[in-house]
């Protein structure tokens, strides 16, 4: 009977260690995903800003002129 109790205690200890490791892994993954989400959000806003600036530059660009090319 004592061997069986020892075996169960060992299994419980093993499961507790695995659970603790998995908790740490989940927390690390959560932090990584949160950091990446923040960076993706920042980059998405930056791309939208750059797109708007490019559109403004294109709208303010002078139209084509009928000049002779410089190689003539």
């Amino acid at each position: 009977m004592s061997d069986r109790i020892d075996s169960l205690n060992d299994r419980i200890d093993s499961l507790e260690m695995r659970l603790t490791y998995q908790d740490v892994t989940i927390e690390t993954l959560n932090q990584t995903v949160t950091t990446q989400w923040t960076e993706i959000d920042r980059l998405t806003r930056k791309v939208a800003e750059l797109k708007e600036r490019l559109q403004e530059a294109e709208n303010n660009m002078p139209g084509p002129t009928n000049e002779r090319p410089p190689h003539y």
Side-chain angles (χ1 to χ4, degrees):
M1 186 72 167
S2 177
D3 288 339
R4 186 171 177 177
I5 291 174
D6 288 340
S7 175
L8 287 174
N9 282 335
D10 289 343
R11 288 182 62 198
I12 290 171
D13 287 344
S14 176
L15 288 172
E16 286 176 341
M17 286 189 302
R18 288 177 60 193
L19 181 62
T20 300
Y21 175 75
Q22 289 176 352
D23 283 345
V24 170
T25 301
I26 289 169
E27 182 59 32
T28 302
L29 288 172
N30 184 45
Q31 290 173 354
T32 302
V33 168
T34 300
T35 301
Q36 289 176 344
W37 178 82
T38 302
E39 183 69 9
I40 289 169
D41 187 50
R42 185 186 71 78
L43 291 172
T44 300
R45 283 186 269 116
K46 186 69 173 177
V47 166
E49 177 188 326
L50 291 173
K51 186 177 178 181
E52 184 178 309
R53 288 178 59 191
L54 178 61
Q55 187 65 42
E56 286 177 21
E58 287 176 345
N59 290 341
N60 294 330
M61 207 168 138
T65 58
N66 288 331
E67 294 178 11
R68 289 176 45 179
H71 61 277
Y72 277 107

